[in-house]
Amino acid sequence: MRLEPIAQPSLARRLVPPALALLGAFLVASVLALIAGGNPLAVFGAIVKGAVGSKFALLETLNRATPLIFTGLAVAVAFRAKLWNIGAEAQLYAGAVVTAVLGTGVLPWPPALLLPAIALTAMLAGALLLLVPALLKTRLGVDEVVTTLLLNYIFLLFVSYLLEGPLKDPMGMGWPKSARLIAEARLPRIVEGLRLHWGFALALLSAVALWIVNARTTLGFEMRAVGQNAEAARFAGMPVTGVVLKTALLSGGLAALAGFSEVSGLKGSLTLDLSPGYGYTGIVVAMLALLHPLGVVAAALFVAAIFVGADAMSRALGVPSYIADIMLASALLMMVLAILLTKFRVVRD
Amino acid sequence: MTGPHDQKAQPVLRLSNITKRFGALTANDDVSFDLARGEVIALLGENGAGKTTLMNILFGQYTADAGTVEVFGEVLPPGNPRAALDAGVGMVHQHFTLAGNLTVWENIVLGTERLGALRLDAKAAKARIADLSRRFHLAVDPAAKVGRLTVGERQRVEILKALYREARILILDEPTAVLTPQESEALFKTLREAVGQGLSVVFISHKLHEVMAISDRTIVLRHGRLVAERATAETSREELAALMVGGKVSAPKIEARPAGPALLRLAGVSTKGEGRAPGLRAVDLTLHAGQITGLAGVSGNGQKALSDLISGLVAPASGQFEIVGEPVGDWSPRRALARGIGRIPEDRHRTGTIADFDLTENAVLETYAQDFARHGWMRWGAARAQAESLIATYDVRCPGPETRIRLLSGGNMQKLILGRVLETAPRIILANQPVRGLDIGAVNYVHGRLAEAREEGAAVLLISEDLDEIMTLSDVIHVMSEGRLSPGFTRGTMRAEALGQWMAGEGFGRVADAS
């Protein structure tokens, strides 16, 4: 058996394998649900209900999707240029630290000035954090998978130090958390009374903006060219190193916005459990979205719905919510295989 | 010594009427030959002549469309490397197939262990390897990790691997491509020893002096066909060179005429080599307006270095590089384009185009920033119009500008690249292997366009391994060998045999002495 490339995949060829992959993920989850003593249909029903079954559930899902859209975009933009940024988690925390520092009254500005200032500074911090591995890659050929991954642990320890030291809330009764943000530094809710903040709108806006950058700008053209064939891009006169560095800045900045949005929009202060691995889940989101910015929004909503729904299901049926992790993992694995099958056909010799 | 001609016994290897097609390309066309016991056959041909394909069929890695392979009188089942191995065929590939984290002896015995055996008989295996390496002068430490060996040593391991499996026929695919002259000499010693002990060897090469040094018989392939078979003792390098490149170009008429002003000048330029590819060694070259300058030479002798230099990928390490009398200064592909150099790269798939980009995107790959963007925004409408115009003007056969370029044939891909280059009206054109792998129609088209550019006053540098192509099109011919450039020979003053001698590296010493 071997794989043979398909010159022009038909529409069915491009849609059916991914659909089967999702179905496969549900089948795997069904078996697990049975083992855990639940009825698969009831489990899925409870997940759907828990994710979108009420206004509260729906808003919770949208809130949960917000940081995933940012980290998903960060990963998508980097992966498209073949810059393997595994460090969105650290970049997220870099944005969160900046928000926690600047949002506690250092700058006596009105919200209209303060929020953009914090957001831009947060982006800058995330961008610089990824610039270091990117420079090591372009200058010395150091593998960015290793450096960005390890920076996650280093940066988390740094945040831990900050929360035990300089940023520790004096009113926090000893808990490792930062002081609460002042009201001017909080992202307001989109509609008064509904628990959904402007971070979600910013995430959607970022996705559309990135889509436009990819499709319409010279930078987007260059990022795609460098990702697909750096040798040809270099020969054609593209500034390959510069493109990689710009991609790093963009990717790091997007991931940092996740931290800004979580601290300023949702939590109001920085803690060490701000992100339950949004940086890593961003990789899953970006892969499920085939690295397309608008696909990232859809994938983030899907992933968030499964997580939120699984929590509710677990409370209702007593089936462990870890089933959500397994569903996502199997969906990702099967999706990778499915993508292969959209481009190749299996031939028996 | 028993030569091949007193062996009347049946051949150890017989290829009969082997034909292999890849799509429209016929890689092997009805090829037949025999190999006798104790004989060394050299399989000679240009890149893409079908040598490697033929050997992969012999070894069972490809299945031939027609024809049979017989080893010691038995027909091999097609497409089965295991059967070839068992029949006593050993192959040493251009790219080694060794596990770097294992030791030499582990690599050698890998795959020969009996299934189900709980542990290897390491002692016996090592003793046998030591014996083989003594007998065949293949000095290598069996306990060393392969990852730490030099390329020459790794090749010895590959040969030991074949001998350990009791190969009676050794196939070596361009074995000296990665060796130093000293290592090559040692390899030849080993091969002579092997032949003396009754093995037979097929030696694939395009280096004439090696073919002359090691083989009993030479078989020349061209475009997949066996065009000649010679007893090596009865032929000459010059004859082989002529047979190898053959006559195949029916190019446009190039009328001799006086040269225009110098547009590009290299004086004593050297560049750093890349890995084993040589850099330039004190090259002097002047390209004149309205002239095609041909660069002949066996591949891997510095053509890439010269091409990279002129395309802007590499800057000179020393010497002067001027374009229209001005030093180039900071040098990059973008600057090369800005100074009016149009580049047709050697590898259109990897360097010239981006396979999954459509024709529009590929058409503006070099010019998007200046001509098809405003303030960082792409003007896709204009880019698409440009692609449509190139498709029409340069006769690119395709469904439309939104076709991914990987779906185009080599000829149509090359026409798009040619159009991309010529549309900018370059003063200097670098054409590196512009017709390699193209069908005859596309060849004539590309040549015609280059001749037109010459008429309009461009300085063209044509790099090719095809001597006929060079001799037909060029006003001036230079030959490259090991990074050195011969003096220029004007049109009509050089015969192929003489150029062949320069290609083989003769004559450079005299020039160096004279200067």
Side-chain angles (χ1 to χ4, degrees):
Chain A
M1 291 218 302
R2 64 198 162 80
L3 292 172
E4 198 177 80
I6 301 170
Q8 243 163 345
S10 63
L11 191 66
R13 171 60 81 166
R14 280 183 290 162
L15 292 183
V16 172
L20 286 177
L22 289 184
L23 193 68
F26 279 109
L27 282 177
V28 170
S30 304
V31 172
L32 287 168
L34 280 173
I35 294 171
N39 171 356
L41 285 179
V43 167
F44 291 133
I47 288 179
V48 170
K49 188 154 163 275
V52 295
S54 65
K55 195 160 80 178
F56 175 83
L58 186 63
L59 290 174
E60 182 61 22
T61 298
L62 296 184
N63 268 327
R64 189 75 73 94
T66 303
L68 291 177
I69 295 175
F70 284 121
T71 55
L73 291 174
V75 171
V77 69
F79 278 22
R80 199 161 257 240
K82 293 228 162 61
L83 174 72
W84 306 112
N85 175 17
I86 316 293
E89 187 77 1
Q91 293 139 26
L92 178 153
Y93 273 102
V97 167
V98 166
T99 309
V101 170
L102 294 184
T104 41
V106 192
L107 301 174
W109 295 349
L113 272 180
L114 184 60
L115 282 171
I118 295 177
L120 288 176
T121 316
M123 285 183 82
L124 192 66
L128 290 178
L129 196 60
L130 183 53
L131 189 62
V132 175
L135 279 170
L136 285 171
K137 172 194 167 89
T138 54
R139 291 290 164 87
L140 302 173
V142 180
D143 191 338
E144 74 276 19
V145 172
V146 177
T147 49
T148 55
L149 178 65
L150 293 183
L151 259 179
N152 286 341
Y153 299 100
I154 295 170
F155 202 84
L156 229 71
L157 289 170
F158 175 64
V159 172
S160 168
Y161 151 76
L162 288 178
L163 292 179
E164 295 288 355
L167 288 188
K168 190 166 185 175
D169 182 6
M171 323 299 273
M173 301 195 295
W175 290 102
K177 65 184 279 293
S178 72
R180 290 203 70 76
L181 262 55
I182 55 174
E184 288 84 350
R186 294 298 301 269
L187 278 167
R189 293 182 170 177
I190 296 174
V191 177
E192 205 45 58
L194 286 186
R195 199 170 159 274
L196 183 68
H197 59 86
W198 274 98
F200 180 69
L202 185 62
L204 292 185
L205 202 67
S206 302
V208 173
L210 186 60
W211 178 50
I212 292 172
V213 166
N214 270 349
R216 297 266 155 213
T217 67
T218 49
L219 178 62
F221 185 51
E222 288 165 344
M223 288 192 298
R224 284 189 293 131
V226 168
Q228 294 212 6
N229 185 341
E231 190 183 327
R234 188 163 119 78
F235 182 82
M238 288 186 183
V240 173
T241 304
V243 171
V244 171
L245 296 182
K246 282 183 202 167
T247 306
L249 294 176
L250 196 53
S251 172
L254 282 165
L257 279 182
F260 160 72
S261 148
E262 286 295 281
V263 173
S264 169
L266 204 62
K267 300 284 172 67
S269 65
L270 173 60
T271 55
L272 211 52
D273 60 0
L274 178 73
S275 157
Y278 288 139
Y280 301 104
T281 312
I283 298 173
V284 179
V285 168
M287 299 298 282
L288 286 176
L290 309 183
L291 308 185
H292 191 288
L294 300 186
V296 163
V297 174
L301 288 170
F302 171 73
V303 170
I306 288 183
F307 275 128
V308 172
D311 280 343
M313 179 278 299
S314 179
R315 284 191 298 273
L317 300 181
V319 172
S321 66
Y322 291 118
I323 204 164
D325 293 294
I326 293 170
M327 270 177 78
L328 278 188
S330 50
L332 181 65
L333 288 176
M334 289 189 216
M335 190 61 90
V336 170
L337 184 68
I339 291 164
L340 191 73
L341 290 179
T342 59
K343 293 182 186 152
F344 295 89
R345 69 167 66 87
V346 181
V347 182
R348 304 187 100 196
D349 282 330
Chain B
M1 174 168 171
T2 54
H5 298 290
D6 20 335
Q7 289 278 344
K8 293 290 174 239
Q10 73 168 165
V12 296
L13 171 71
R14 167 168 283 169
L15 298 186
S16 313
N17 312 100
I18 300 283
T19 297
K20 173 76 182 171
R21 291 186 198 85
F22 295 104
L25 178 81
T26 304
N28 289 143
D29 191 356
D30 197 24
V31 176
S32 309
F33 67 84
D34 290 349
L35 174 69
R37 182 169 184 275
E39 186 185 29
V40 180
I41 281 191
L43 202 56
L44 184 67
E46 292 182 289
N47 285 334
K51 300 171 300 212
T52 300
T53 304
L54 188 62
M55 289 306 109
N56 279 330
I57 289 169
L58 198 178
F59 197 61
Q61 275 156 335
Y62 293 160
T63 311
D65 296 324
T68 54
V69 179
E70 280 173 57
V71 178
F72 298 107
E74 302 274 329
V75 175
L76 285 185
N80 186 348
R82 172 59 66 181
L85 272 172
D86 291 344
V89 180
M91 182 151 179
V92 177
H93 291 272
Q94 274 178 46
H95 306 286
F96 302 145
T97 52
L98 298 170
N101 54 345
L102 296 182
T103 62
V104 167
W105 77 268
E106 285 167 335
N107 264 287
I108 291 173
V109 301
L110 200 67
T112 63
E113 319 91 330
R114 274 208 335 274
L115 243 106
L118 285 178
R119 43 189 287 278
L120 295 167
D121 189 349
K123 217 164 149 194
K126 282 184 196 164
R128 241 191 96 204
I129 291 166
D131 174 52
L132 286 171
S133 72
R134 242 190 330 276
R135 263 170 61 204
F136 292 97
H137 313 294
L138 289 162
V140 57
D141 173 12
K145 283 258 195 297
V146 163
R148 298 179 177 239
L149 300 184
T150 66
V151 179
E153 288 171 318
R154 284 181 208 205
Q155 187 174 65
R156 276 175 240 155
V157 177
E158 284 280 11
I159 296 173
L160 276 173
K161 217 166 103 183
L163 295 172
Y164 187 86
R165 289 164 168 70
E166 292 172 352
R168 305 300 299 157
I169 300 167
L170 274 182
I171 302 168
L172 301 146
D173 191 0
E174 308 253 2
T176 58
V178 293
L179 300 185
T180 64
Q182 291 77 10
E183 286 172 332
S184 301
E185 210 30 69
L187 170 69
F188 290 169
K189 197 172 160 201
T190 296
L191 292 185
R192 286 188 196 105
E193 188 59 43
V195 169
Q197 298 189 21
L199 272 73
S200 308
V201 175
V202 180
F203 184 91
I204 304 177
S205 181
H206 58 218
K207 295 190 185 164
L208 294 169
H209 64 101
E210 291 170 358
V211 167
M212 298 301 289
I214 190 72
S215 72
D216 301 309
R217 208 150 43 101
T218 305
I219 284 169
V220 184
L221 288 186
R222 189 166 76 220
H223 296 316
R225 298 185 75 95
L226 193 160
V227 292
E229 195 176 330
R230 297 279 186 275
T232 309
E234 292 160 17
T235 182
S236 65
R237 271 194 208 196
E238 289 72 25
E239 187 194 16
L240 290 179
L243 285 169
M244 189 162 89
V245 296
K248 63 186 170 197
V249 181
S250 67
K253 264 260 172 286
I254 301 284
E255 304 282 348
R257 60 164 190 208
L263 295 185
L264 181 148
R265 203 171 68 85
L266 300 178
V269 170
S270 299
T271 62
K272 272 187 285 190
E274 245 184 89
R276 287 179 172 272
L280 299 180
R281 289 158 61 187
V283 163
D284 299 314
L285 174 69
T286 307
L287 301 183
H288 291 277
Q291 275 201 338
I292 294 180
T293 303
L295 188 72
V298 176
S299 75
N301 271 286
Q303 293 96 326
K304 179 171 160 33
L306 183 63
S307 163
D308 284 355
L309 174 73
I310 294 178
S311 342
L313 292 169
V314 165
S318 63
Q320 290 161 297
F321 183 3
E322 291 172 358
I323 290 169
V324 208
E326 277 177 54
V328 295
D330 251 0
W331 196 229
S332 69
R334 194 160 269 187
R335 295 203 182 232
L337 287 163
R339 298 297 295 271
I341 303 183
R343 298 104 24 93
I344 300 172
E346 176 177 12
D347 188 334
R348 52 183 162 269
H349 301 277
R350 271 182 47 202
T351 322
T353 59
I354 295 180
D356 277 320
F357 272 20
D358 64 23
L359 264 64
T360 301
E361 291 169 315
N362 274 296
V364 300
L365 214 49
E366 292 179 338
T367 45
Y368 69 95
Q370 299 83 41
D371 300 340
F372 300 97
R374 197 181 292 126
H375 309 304
W377 294 91
M378 292 296 297
R379 293 164 53 218
W380 283 121
R384 195 191 148 96
Q386 170 76 357
E388 277 166 352
S389 139
L390 290 185
I391 290 167
T393 316
Y394 294 88
D395 187 29
V396 182
R397 313 269 165 83
C398 66
E402 61 291 324
T403 315
R404 285 183 304 147
I405 202 159
R406 71 156 69 242
L407 300 172
L408 263 54
S409 71
N412 285 312
M413 209 184 272
Q414 193 72 326
K415 283 179 187 172
L416 187 86
I417 294 174
L418 187 72
R420 188 170 82 192
V421 166
L422 295 180
E423 273 315 271
T424 62
R427 288 183 293 188
I428 299 159
I429 297 171
L430 166 74
N432 193 352
Q433 310 284 359
V435 300
R436 179 190 279 169
L438 301 191
D439 62 57
I440 195 74
V443 167
N444 290 337
Y445 185 86
V446 172
H447 283 162
R449 286 287 186 164
L450 289 178
E452 265 174 50
R454 168 188 180 270
E455 290 293 318
E456 285 157 19
V460 181
L461 177 63
L462 172 68
I463 302 179
S464 175
E465 283 157 39
D466 184 334
L467 209 48
D468 277 346
E469 183 188 5
I470 294 278
M471 294 185 68
T472 321
L473 289 172
S474 311
D475 297 283
V476 179
I477 299 174
H478 292 267
V479 182
M480 264 206 132
S481 175
E482 292 171 18
R484 298 164 304 184
L485 191 73
S486 79
F489 307 109
T490 21
R491 185 172 181 77
T493 63
M494 258 338 230
R495 286 178 311 120
E497 292 72 22
L499 290 174
Q501 283 181 340
W502 283 91
M503 285 163 74
E506 292 165 23
F508 288 94
R510 284 203 310 276
V511 174
D513 295 342
S515 61

